Amino acid sequence: MIRFENVSRQFPDGTEALKNISLTLPDQQLTVIIGPSGCGKTTLMKMINKMEKPTAGNIYIDEKPITGLDEVQLRRSIGYVIQRIGLFPHMTISDNVSLVPRLLSWPKEKTTVRVHELLELVGLDPNTYLERFPLELSGGQQQRVGVVRALAGDPDIVLMDEPFSALDPISREQLQNELRNLQQTIHKTIVFVTHDMDEALKIADTIVVMRQGQIEQIGTPHQLVNDPANEFVRNFIGIDRIRQKRSFGERQLKDFIGLFEKEWAGDAQKIDSSSTIEEAVRQLGESRGDRLAITENDRVLAYASERDLLNAALLKEGGALV
C-alpha cells in the first residue's frame, strides 16, 4: 500500500506543484492519476520512487516511510515505464529486459526463465525477439518491451508515466487491452499517469482526478461517470461522454461477451445475459462483489467487473470506443 500524508511540493521558483495531499493507493490495483497539464500528477507519481521529494509531508510504502530508504535500492524495487520507452539501443531485447534482474544479482537461469515468461505474456515470441535490437521493432513492440523490463525484477509496484501517449491509436488501444489483461494475471500495484479520460475509464480500477496540485475526486470509473464530485470533474470527463454512457446503458450484456473475462476464481453473483448494462451495474453495486457471472440457460459465459461494464457502456453502436 502506498500512502501520502499531508504531502506538498514547492519548486524553487515558488510554484506549488502539490498542496497538502493525503491519499492512499490500494494494493494490487491499477490506479490512474489524471488531470490537465501542470496539475501535479507526474510530480505525485515520481515521489513514490524519490525522483521528486516533498517539501512537506511523508510518503509510506507498506506503512514504512521512504524518507530514509536508499534511492538506488528503492528504484530497483519499483518498475518504471515512461512515454519515451527508454530502451538502450545498443543492447538486445534480452539484455534490456534482464537489466534489473542482473543488477539484483539473480542467478542466470532464473533471469532467463523470467525474460522468456514476460515476453510471452505480452505476445512477443522469445525465439524471434530476444536477440533483436530496439530499432528493429515497431513503436508498439518497443513499448511492450518497456513494460516487460519494468516487470522483470518482479516488483510489487509499477509506475507508468503516460506510456502509450506517443503511439498511434491502434497500437495504443492494443496496449491498453494488453495491460488490462496482464494486470489480471500479475496483480501488481500500478500507478498510471495519463491526460486521456477514455484511457483512464478503460483501464483503471481507481481514478484520482487532480487540478492545480490538489485532488478533486477519487473513485471507480463508474462512480466518476455517474456521480462527478463537482463541475470541474464533470467537464473534465465530458458531458457528451457521460450522456453516451447513460444512453447505451440499456444495451444487453450478451452484446459485449467478447469484452468480458472468461475465467474468474472468486465468488460471482449470476445475472442473465439478456440483462442490460444498467441492470448489471446496479446488481453489482448491490452485491458488493468484484464480478458478475453472466449466464445463458444457467451456463456461465463470462465474468464482468465494474470496469468491464463501464467500458461496454462507453462503446458506440458500431463497436468503436467513444
Side-chain angles (χ1 to χ4, degrees):
M1 181 176 68
I2 304 166
R3 183 165 63 88
F4 295 81
E5 183 181 84
N6 305 122
V7 171
S8 296
R9 175 67 167 110
Q10 186 173 39
F11 292 115
D13 65 0
T15 302
E16 288 187 285
L18 298 174
K19 304 172 184 176
N20 198 35
I21 296 286
S22 290
L23 170 68
T24 298
L25 304 180
D27 280 342
Q28 299 185 350
Q29 288 194 19
L30 198 161
T31 299
V32 169
I33 305 174
I34 190 168
S37 297
C39 71
K41 54 186 183 290
T42 297
T43 300
L44 185 70
M45 185 198 71
K46 286 184 174 180
M47 286 189 169
I48 297 169
N49 65 356
K50 297 181 75 171
M51 291 182 71
E52 292 282 358
K53 297 179 181 178
T55 308
N58 294 292
I59 301 155
Y60 301 85
I61 295 179
D62 294 332
E63 293 305 319
K64 297 176 182 177
I66 68 171
T67 307
L69 298 180
D70 178 78
E71 292 179 6
V72 173
Q73 294 301 317
L74 177 65
R75 290 170 190 167
R76 287 180 183 176
S77 71
I78 296 175
Y80 191 39
V81 187
I82 59 175
Q83 178 182 339
R84 296 181 302 279
I85 304 172
L87 299 180
F88 294 106
H90 63 286
M91 293 170 58
T92 65
I93 300 308
S94 176
D95 289 338
N96 266 285
V97 175
S98 63
L99 183 61
V100 172
R102 294 202 310 271
L103 291 172
L104 295 173
S105 300
W106 282 23
K108 186 175 180 180
E109 183 178 346
K110 179 181 177 182
T111 300
T112 300
V113 169
R114 181 65 173 166
V115 171
H116 280 69
E117 173 188 66
L118 288 172
L119 286 174
E120 288 171 352
L121 271 177
V122 296
L124 296 175
D125 179 11
N127 295 323
T128 302
Y129 292 98
L130 275 176
E131 298 309 314
R132 291 189 180 181
F133 291 88
L135 292 179
E136 297 179 90
L137 276 57
S138 69
Q141 289 170 335
Q142 289 183 43
Q143 196 58 287
R144 285 178 174 86
V145 175
V147 172
V148 162
R149 186 175 65 178
L151 296 171
D154 200 20
D156 293 326
I157 298 169
V158 180
L159 310 180
M160 307 186 79
D161 190 5
E162 304 209 43
F164 308 147
S165 62
L167 300 176
D168 64 87
I170 293 175
S171 296
R172 184 169 186 163
E173 183 176 341
Q174 288 174 341
L175 280 169
Q176 288 167 353
N177 291 336
E178 287 183 15
L179 176 62
R180 186 174 154 199
N181 293 334
L182 187 64
Q183 175 64 349
Q184 291 170 0
T185 301
I186 61 177
H187 304 295
K188 300 295 184 182
T189 301
I190 299 177
V191 183
F192 189 110
V193 167
T194 185
H195 63 273
D196 185 328
M197 182 53 75
D198 284 322
E199 183 167 69
L201 292 171
K202 181 176 182 179
I203 67 173
D205 295 303
T206 300
I207 298 175
V208 179
V209 182
M210 294 187 65
R211 176 174 61 158
Q212 297 179 349
Q214 296 178 305
I215 295 172
E216 294 289 331
Q217 186 170 2
I218 304 169
T220 65
H222 176 69
Q223 288 169 337
L224 262 66
V225 167
N226 284 277
D227 191 22
N230 53 41
E231 195 66 20
F232 169 79
V233 175
R234 185 177 296 107
N235 289 333
F236 195 75
I237 296 172
I239 301 300
D240 288 343
R241 187 179 285 110
I242 292 172
R243 286 173 179 164
Q244 284 166 339
K245 185 271 173 191
R246 291 168 181 169
S247 297
F248 293 109
E250 291 303 312
R251 295 180 66 184
Q252 294 181 330
L253 292 171
K254 60 186 176 184
D255 296 334
F256 303 99
I257 290 298
L259 292 178
F260 303 145
E261 302 166 52
K262 295 298 182 282
E263 296 182 2
W264 171 248
D267 295 330
Q269 193 175 100
K270 292 182 178 180
I271 186 170
D272 193 86
S273 62
S274 63
S275 302
T276 66
I277 295 291
E278 203 166 282
E279 290 169 340
V281 169
R282 183 169 59 251
Q283 181 171 324
L284 184 59
E286 292 172 352
S287 73
R288 298 185 180 180
D290 293 323
R291 300 289 190 279
L292 288 177
I294 302 168
T295 64
E296 187 173 271
N297 298 325
D298 211 33
R299 180 173 65 90
V300 176
L301 303 178
Y303 297 88
S305 66
E306 181 181 67
R307 183 179 58 193
D308 294 330
L309 296 172
L310 179 58
N311 189 39
L314 285 168
L315 291 177
K316 293 180 178 179
E317 286 291 343
L321 279 170
V322 174

